[in-house]
Amino acid sequence: MKKLTLLPILSLIFMLNMASTCSGDDNNSSSVDATPVINTVTSGTWRVTYYFDTDTDETNHFTGYNFTFNGSNVLTATNGTNSYTGSWSVISDDSSDDDNPSGDLDFNILFSSPANFADLSDDWDILSRTATKIELIDVSGGNGGTDYLTFEKN
């Protein structure tokens, strides 16, 4: 039962953190509009077709799961038997220290469990996006490893 109460708390902390990140005073008026990305991911269900964690392909951990990016920032992964709920957001990140190749958009994912899904929790940079495919990258500040995550529309 503790796990069920922990998820809403973690989601709230995550969303508050994202809101405070967005509300900072920034004189840069060239913010990138997140709306097209949000409209893309909230349309239909998605599957992970590639997940590379630093030096290991871990795509098989997500085989059979469909991901739904709800308009209220709820992210659900289900395979018909198991269902996991997390949160997501796409925000404009105008920080000058970010090497984001997507024009300063962060694609944030948060799952508190299970461990394989918690590994997806990060502030991903968007490498590319089409109506049916989103390729994400994260370069770790701690160990310098690079993670890749690709979602394709069902």
Side-chain angles (χ1 to χ4, degrees):
M1 189 61 153
K2 289 182 182 179
K3 289 182 183 179
L4 292 176
T5 59
L6 182 61
L7 181 60
I9 292 169
L10 288 174
S11 295
L12 178 62
I13 291 169
F14 179 73
M15 297 312 293
L16 289 174
N17 184 39
M18 292 302 105
S20 68
T21 301
C22 292
S23 65
D25 184 29
D26 192 353
N27 294 330
N28 184 356
S29 62
S30 62
S31 294
V32 177
D33 185 10
T35 304
V37 176
I38 293 168
N39 289 342
T40 297
V41 298
T42 56
S43 171
T45 61
W46 299 77
R47 66 190 181 282
V48 172
T49 57
Y50 186 61
Y51 176 58
F52 186 83
D53 187 6
T54 304
D55 57 0
T56 306
D57 184 340
E58 297 182 9
T59 308
N60 64 320
H61 295 180
F62 310 99
T63 301
Y65 281 90
N66 290 315
F67 290 77
T68 303
F69 296 88
N70 185 292
S72 59
N73 297 97
V74 174
L75 175 56
T76 305
T78 185
N79 67 359
T81 303
N82 299 309
S83 185
Y84 304 110
T85 303
S87 60
W88 72 280
S89 65
V90 178
I91 62 167
S92 179
D93 177 12
D94 295 331
S95 64
S96 60
D97 62 342
D98 189 9
D99 293 327
N100 184 347
S102 68
D104 294 327
L105 284 180
D106 283 346
F107 195 110
N108 302 292
I109 296 174
L110 176 67
F111 279 102
S112 59
S113 65
N116 291 336
F117 284 79
D119 285 346
L120 299 178
S121 297
D122 219 323
D123 59 335
W124 298 88
D125 295 329
I126 302 170
L127 279 175
S128 69
R129 176 188 59 86
T130 67
T132 59
K133 186 175 187 178
I134 299 173
E135 295 177 308
L136 307 170
I137 186 172
D138 179 65
V139 178
S140 173
N143 64 7
T146 302
D147 300 341
Y148 297 93
L149 175 61
T150 301
F151 286 101
E152 290 191 48
K153 193 170 187 177
N154 287 320

